[in-house]
Every structure is written in C-alpha cells, then in structure tokens.
C-alpha cells in the first residue's frame, strides 16, 4: 500500500464489507452444527487451545480476513517490528518489547546494535540485587531485612506488574518463593492510595521502588516524595539510599532525588509504558517478591508466544487470528466493545491491564500518516472474572447489546478444592460455566422452545434470547508463571495486529498529553489562589465555578503546607 492509502480503500476491505450481508443471513446455531467448520476454527500451540468457532465467521470470512492482512502488509509490519525498525514513526522509535524476554543468545537489532546483551545486563543486575535483598545481605538503615516492597508508578508502570503479581499470588511455586514478603503498588496520586499502601508497614523493613522513565511523571514523583518523607521522618534523610531504588533512565534526577544511581535499573525508549512489564518496570518488583527464577519462567512464556507470532503461518497464528477477528467485529460487524472474561480469580487484574494495552494503543482517529480514518478503530475493553461477571453485566451481553466475548479458562486450578458429597469440585463448577456461557450466547433460546416448556405467553418475549452473539474461548493448561507470560504476549501481539491492519500507530499515546498540560495550568492557579489569594482567571465559566467551590470549601488547607502524612 502507498503511504497515504487507507486500508479501507483496498479491494480486500470492500470485499469484507460486501460479505457482511452473507454473514447476516446466517445464525451461529446453524454455523455450529457444521462439525468440519468448527474443527477448522481451532488452533493449538504450546499447550494453549484457541476455539474461535463461535465467531460469526465462515471459512470464506477467514479467507477474506487473510486477504485483508495481505493488503495491509501485515507480515512485513511484523517483521519490521522484530527487526527494530522505527515503526513508531511519530516518536521515531523502534518497538522492541519482544527483546525484553529474548533468550540470552538471541540477536535483535536496534539502530545497528544488538540490544539483547543490554537487556540481560539489566536482568542480571536485577537478579543480583533481588537475591541480596531476599537473602538479607542488603538490609535497611537499621540493619533489619527488607521484607516489604512498595512499587510507585502509574499507567504502564503499574497495571502490568499488578496483573502479574495478582496472578502469581495464588500459584503454589510463587507462594513458596514469596513467603514472609509482601508487594504493594502505589499508583494514584490520591492520598488515600498512599494511606492504604503504607498502612501496617514499618519504614525499617520497607523498600520503595520508584518507576519513572524520565523521573518527572507528576503523580509518580509526588508519591515518591511522599514516601521519601515517610522514610526520612522515621529513619533520617540518610536512610533514603538504603530504602529507595529507581527504575529510570534519568540518572541525574535519580541522584538529585537522593537515590544512589548505582541502584537505578535501566530501560529504553523502545519500550512503551504499557508494554514494559517484562522490563525492569515489572521484573524488579516481581523478582523482589517471588525471586528471579519464577519471573524468568514468566519471561520464557512470553518469549514462546513471541516466536510463535513471528514465525507461524497466519492460519495457525493465535495473536494474528485474534487480531483479525477483532478487526472483523469492530470495523465490519459494528461491535464497539469487547468483554474479557477470565474464569480464574487469579486473573482479576488482567482486563484492567489489557484495557490500557488495547485502548491506549488503538484509540486513534488518524492513520499512521495523519490521515483521518473514515472508520472506527479501537475497541472498548472491560471485564471481570467469571462467575462474578455473570451476576453483574452478562444480562446486557445476553439480551442487550451485542458484545463479543473472550472466555479464558484454565484446566488445572492453582488452588483446587474438593468437598466430599458434592457433585463436582469447585473448579469443575467454575468451568461448567466457562463451557456453558459461550453456547448460551451463540444459540440463545427461541420462542418455540419456550412454548414447548409451557412458559406463560406474557413472559415469552422476556425469556427469549436471540443468540448469534460471538465469542471465542482460550483454554490454558494451568496458570503458572510461564502460562501468565504466554497470555500477556498473546494479547500484546493481538493489539499490534489490529493496529497494523487498521494502519494506525499503536505505539504512541498523544491522547494522554492534553489533560496533563491543562492540569499543569490548574495546579499553578490553585497554588496562586491558596498562597497569594489570586482570583481564578483564564478558565471557562464552568471550570472557574467548580474551582471556586473547591477552594472555598477547602479553605482550611494551609497556604504554607506543613508535612502531614496519612494517619491510618
């Protein structure tokens, strides 16, 4: 495609647009009765089974989607990413999060240099440091072991590591490795988040990890200064060097803050925040909690999917298939949202992380060349673990809006429970719902079926389910560190595939900048109003009114701020 050409101008796109009429004449009840079709819409790789037979798609649909991938130069774009080309053109950067989990002997180039040795230099440093903290050879200012870690970061410096931490908390191997330790994440600048994170902690046994590439992120640095004060107030300013470390590339600001630059762990501008969980951003706090060997298994799981994504033909390529199906659902069938429904409580933070990976990556209105898109890109992601979600928003999914669903199941529970006399185990009960819900969405229930069940006439319409609601199922063999890495990489690459096909830049995030700059103006005004009594100027009537109300109602806040830490 020429650089200024939109994918929607291609014959492959137009062919899929015309094909929608054919699909609208089908129903999943009929499509699911074709066993050969169902078998052809299943893929296995490295213990993972993907079943996408409940998508509103035929073999013809899939063939047309592959033609669309060809028109979008998908294979070439994947190769360019792995080759370290600057595919993030608006920031002139490579996109190389795959190198963060590459094997030590791999070669991945960026600007003519193999970056893998640099990655492993940091990983080795993390392993060495985390082992010293965990075995007690690195202690706090008073000589006590550091058993508690608070990781300060926001967005990509928080959501990914929190997802992995939450998933590992109930894994037997990880539990054993984390015995006697705790890890907390401080993200929100809201002082309530500070209070919750330091409640019950002793500064003498706490290590704080400050995660900020530039060491200038407003929320993160205010939280970092707050915890620096918490440590200094208890142990003296000199204790900061023993109780705070950094994940950053800005060593001068790290040192100015009071952290020894030798205790700063690097990452690179070719690592986007939302793709950074496999960098020091996630690996350092997770290694402190679980030990490096557990985290290395997580990295190997992600690397396995990287190789699958790079080398497998599209017909057997799980991230490619998922990405193309999302494009089909969003841009052709008109479904703006997607529900991520893991049937494992350990994955309760997975949907919030993928919200950022997906919506920050693909929430774009122009092509990578700056041309306004004549179609909608991106999707609205949300989700909850099953079976909780079934008693929450599934009503809308079954009888309201059509929302394609990702069902994620696990064969072996991390924490199996068996009760004598029960019909099935607790995990079997959970998985019964995992298997049933996709069929309920696909088949629905007809008025004829309800009549046969002698349902009163006035309730027929209320109890009718239209069905024909698309979903897909991903079945993992277990949920250990390796599987968690696999799942992360599948979704990261799925998002990239969508962006590559839509022809957008999935690796910048200019949309988060405007609110930040406006907040800077408000911050200056609040300071001027509180300290000098200056009137509010330069804002519209609505904002001015709200700020006046806020300042008047919080006039007890002193103009010369004393130090006040949470009282929980």
């Amino acid at each position: 495609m020429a650089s200024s050409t939109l994918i929607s101008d291609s014959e492959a796109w137009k062919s899929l647009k015309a094909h929608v009429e054919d699909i609208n004449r089908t129903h999943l009840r009929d499509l699911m009765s074709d066993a050969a079709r169902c078998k052809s819409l299943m893929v296995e790789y490295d213990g993972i089974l993907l079943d996408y037979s409940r998508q509103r798609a035929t073999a013809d649909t899939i063939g047309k989607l592959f033609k669309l991938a060809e028109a979008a130069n998908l294979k070439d774009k994947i190769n360019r990413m792995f080759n370290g080309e600057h595919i993030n053109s608006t920031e002139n950067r490579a996109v190389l999060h795959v190198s963060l989990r590459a094997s030590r002997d791999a070669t991945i180039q960026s600007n003519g240099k193999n970056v893998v040795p640099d990655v492993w230099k940091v990983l080795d440093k993390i392993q060495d440091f985390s082992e010293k903290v965990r075995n007690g050879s690195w202690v706090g200012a008073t000589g006590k072991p550091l058993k508690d870690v608070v990781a300060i970061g926001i967005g990509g410096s928080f959501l990914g590591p929190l997802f992995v931490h939450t998933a590992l908390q109930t894994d037997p191997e990880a539990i054993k490795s984390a015995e006697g330790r705790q890890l907390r994440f401080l993200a929100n600048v809201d002082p309530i988040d500070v209070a919750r994170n330091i409640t019950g902690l002793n500064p003498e046994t706490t290590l704080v990890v400050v995660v900020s590439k530039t060491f200038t992120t407003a929320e993160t640095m205010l939280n970092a200064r707050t915890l620096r004060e918490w440590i200094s107030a208890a142990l003296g300013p000199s204790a900061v060097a023993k109780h705070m470390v950094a994940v950053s590339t800005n060593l001068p600001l790290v040192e100015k803050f009071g952290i020894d630059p030798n205790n700063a762990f690097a990452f690179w501008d070719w690592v986007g925040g939302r793709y950074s969980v496999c960098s020091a951003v996630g690996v350092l706090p997770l290694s402190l909690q679980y030990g490096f060997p557990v985290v290395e298994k997580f990295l190997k799981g992600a690397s396995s999917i990287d190789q699958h994504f790079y080398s497998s033909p599209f017909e057997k390529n799980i991230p490619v298939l998922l990405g193309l199906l999302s494009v089909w659902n969003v841009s052709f069938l008109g479904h703006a949202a997607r529900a991520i429904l893991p049937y494992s409580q350990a994955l309760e933070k997975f949907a919030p992380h993928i919200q950022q990976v997906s919506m920050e990556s693909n929430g774009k209105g122009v092509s990578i060349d700056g041309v306004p898109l004549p179609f909608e890109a991106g999707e609205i992601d949300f989700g909850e673990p099953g079976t909780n979600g079934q008693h929450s928003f599934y009503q809308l999914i079954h009888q309201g809006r059509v929302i394609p669903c990702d069902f994620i199941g696990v064969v072996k529970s991390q924490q199996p429970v068996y009760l004598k006399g029960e019909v099935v185990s607790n995990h079997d009960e959970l998985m019964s719902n995992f298997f049933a819900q996709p069929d309920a969405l696909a088949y629905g229930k007809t008025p004829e079926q309800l009549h046969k069940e002698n349902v009163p006439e006035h309730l027929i319409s209320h109890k009718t389910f239209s069905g024909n609601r698309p979903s897909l199922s991903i079945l993992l063999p277990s949920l250990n560190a390796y599987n968690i890495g696999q799942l992360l990489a599948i979704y990261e690459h799925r998002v990239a595939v969508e962006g590559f096909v839509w022809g957008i830049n999935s690796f910048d995030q200019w949309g988060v900048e405007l609110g930040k700059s406006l907040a800077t103006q408000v911050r200056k005004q609040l300071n001027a109003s509180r300290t000098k009594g200056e009137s509010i100027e330069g804002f519209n009537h609505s904002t001015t009114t709200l700020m006046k109300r806020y300042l008047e109602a919080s006039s007890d806040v002193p103009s010369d701020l004393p130090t006040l830490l949470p009282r929980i």
Side-chain angles (χ1 to χ4, degrees):
M1 291 169 60
S3 61
S4 60
T5 303
L6 295 169
I7 187 63
S8 54
D9 294 331
S10 68
E11 289 305 313
W13 184 281
K14 294 171 184 174
S15 177
L16 276 162
K17 276 288 187 188
H19 178 62
V20 170
E21 287 185 27
D22 298 332
I23 291 300
N24 284 340
R25 288 194 288 268
T26 69
H27 194 287
L28 278 170
R29 290 186 202 112
D30 303 314
L31 294 177
M32 292 300 293
S33 67
D34 183 345
R37 170 192 167 275
C38 293
K39 185 177 180 181
S40 72
L41 302 185
M42 293 185 182
V43 175
E44 282 191 75
Y45 173 74
D46 197 11
I48 297 172
L49 174 63
L50 166 66
D51 175 5
Y52 60 103
S53 60
R54 292 177 190 80
Q55 290 288 303
R56 292 183 60 208
T58 62
D60 194 22
T61 314
I62 304 303
K64 289 178 183 295
L65 286 170
F66 290 147
K67 289 286 188 184
L68 184 69
E70 188 179 327
N73 295 320
L74 177 58
K75 182 57 182 171
D76 177 62
K77 290 175 180 176
I78 293 170
N79 289 341
R80 290 179 62 207
M81 182 175 86
F82 277 80
N83 291 339
E85 295 186 37
H86 287 210
I87 63 171
N88 178 357
S89 56
T90 63
E91 296 178 308
N92 193 27
R93 292 175 180 173
V95 177
L96 280 178
H97 46 278
V98 293
S99 69
L100 300 172
R101 52 258 189 156
S103 60
R104 196 183 288 268
D105 59 352
T107 300
I108 299 178
Q109 301 283 341
S110 177
N111 298 327
K113 177 188 176 184
N114 181 14
V115 302
V116 175
D118 288 342
V119 168
W120 274 95
K121 185 178 178 182
V122 174
L123 290 175
D124 289 338
K125 183 178 177 180
I126 290 172
Q127 181 173 16
D128 178 65
F129 178 74
S130 60
E131 285 179 358
K132 284 179 180 175
V133 172
R134 288 169 57 82
N135 67 26
S137 59
W138 175 294
V139 293
T142 61
K144 292 185 178 180
L146 300 173
K147 297 287 190 180
D148 308 312
V149 173
V150 178
I152 304 177
I154 198 165
S157 300
F158 155 65
L159 290 164
L162 177 63
F163 143 60
V164 179
H165 170 52
T166 307
L168 285 173
Q169 275 184 311
T170 41
D171 170 62
E173 181 186 12
I175 289 172
K176 190 174 180 181
S177 300
E179 195 171 347
R181 309 193 62 82
Q182 61 177 317
L183 171 61
R184 300 182 182 184
F185 291 90
L186 171 56
N188 200 330
V189 75
D190 187 336
I192 290 171
D193 205 15
V194 176
R196 287 177 173 175
N197 270 279
I198 64 175
T199 297
L201 295 187
N202 180 354
E204 290 183 279
T205 60
T206 301
L207 178 69
V208 176
V209 179
V210 184
V211 182
S212 175
K213 184 184 290 186
T214 61
F215 235 59
T216 58
T217 307
E219 301 97 327
T220 297
M221 296 318 299
L222 180 53
N223 278 335
R225 292 191 295 273
T226 303
L227 261 64
R228 180 180 63 184
E229 182 61 34
W230 177 66
I231 290 166
S232 298
L235 307 175
S238 62
V240 169
K242 276 288 189 181
H243 289 265
M244 298 187 83
V245 298
V247 177
S248 180
T249 55
N250 194 335
L251 295 185
L253 284 186
V254 168
E255 186 170 21
K256 186 179 178 182
F257 184 88
I259 293 173
D260 186 340
N262 292 319
N263 299 328
F265 298 81
F267 59 120
W268 304 269
D269 68 1
W270 38 257
V271 181
R274 55 195 174 277
Y275 298 97
S276 67
V277 65
C278 294
S279 73
V281 168
V283 173
L284 177 58
L286 292 167
S287 293
L288 287 164
Q289 178 69 5
Y290 297 108
F292 188 80
V294 170
V295 180
E296 191 172 13
K297 290 178 182 178
F298 161 72
L299 297 176
K300 285 181 177 177
S303 181
S304 167
I305 295 298
D306 293 341
Q307 296 311 308
H308 167 66
F309 176 53
Y310 181 67
S311 60
S312 294
F314 288 175
E315 296 81 9
K316 298 292 183 183
N317 194 311
I318 291 174
V320 168
L321 289 167
L322 293 177
L324 292 175
L325 289 166
S326 285
V327 170
W328 169 241
N329 283 320
V330 171
S331 298
F332 298 95
L333 297 183
H335 305 315
R338 172 179 63 193
I340 299 171
L341 310 170
Y343 276 67
S344 170
Q345 193 64 30
L347 295 175
E348 64 178 306
K349 295 298 181 181
F350 183 60
H353 175 51
I354 299 306
Q355 272 184 334
Q356 189 200 15
V357 174
S358 172
M359 295 169 74
E360 193 168 86
S361 294
N362 290 340
K364 308 293 167 63
V366 299
S367 76
I368 198 163
D369 303 305
V371 179
L373 299 177
F375 56 85
E376 296 287 348
E379 58 211 328
I380 302 161
D381 287 279
F382 71 98
E384 274 287 320
T387 56
N388 297 9
Q390 293 175 199
H391 297 269
S392 173
F393 51 77
Y394 276 39
Q395 168 63 46
L396 182 143
I397 293 173
H398 278 290
Q399 290 186 304
R401 295 177 180 270
V402 176
I403 298 175
C405 297
D406 293 357
F407 290 93
I408 303 168
V410 181
V411 174
K412 293 184 178 179
S413 174
Q414 290 178 330
Q415 297 291 328
V417 172
Y418 309 105
L419 295 181
K420 185 176 176 61
E422 292 288 339
V423 177
V424 293
S425 70
N426 293 43
H427 190 64
D428 280 352
E429 179 65 30
L430 175 72
M431 292 302 288
S432 296
N433 289 272
F434 167 82
F435 295 120
Q437 288 291 335
D439 277 343
L441 288 167
Y443 289 88
K445 199 161 192 179
T446 65
E448 292 75 21
Q449 289 172 304
L450 294 167
H451 279 119
K452 288 180 180 177
E453 294 174 6
N454 297 317
V455 172
E457 190 63 39
H458 70 282
L459 292 178
I460 295 291
S461 60
H462 296 282
K463 292 194 171 189
T464 296
F465 292 74
S466 64
N468 209 29
R469 291 161 186 259
S471 69
L472 57 86
S473 300
I474 299 171
L475 190 59
L476 303 172
S478 58
L479 200 59
N480 55 31
Y482 185 86
N483 305 135
I484 294 164
Q486 289 177 308
L487 187 61
L488 173 75
I490 285 171
Y491 273 77
E492 286 180 344
H493 295 320
R494 174 196 202 161
V495 167
V497 168
E498 292 174 67
F500 287 152
V501 173
W502 280 321
I504 60 179
N505 186 355
S506 299
F507 306 106
D508 62 8
Q509 57 283 328
W510 299 106
V512 305
E513 300 301 323
L514 179 59
K516 284 183 183 179
S517 62
L518 292 176
T520 299
Q521 298 174 33
V522 174
R523 187 185 304 119
K524 290 177 180 176
Q525 180 67 65
L526 290 176
N527 175 266
S529 296
R530 288 208 193 276
T531 60
K532 303 173 187 174
E534 291 186 9
S535 60
I536 298 170
E537 293 181 0
F539 299 91
N540 61 48
H541 176 77
S542 174
T543 304
T544 300
T545 303
L546 290 167
M547 288 172 66
K548 277 183 178 177
R549 174 66 64 88
Y550 173 69
L551 286 165
E552 289 167 2
S554 61
S555 58
D556 57 329
V557 174
S559 56
D560 184 15
L561 294 175
T563 295
L564 176 66
L565 293 171
R567 296 184 296 273
I568 291 181

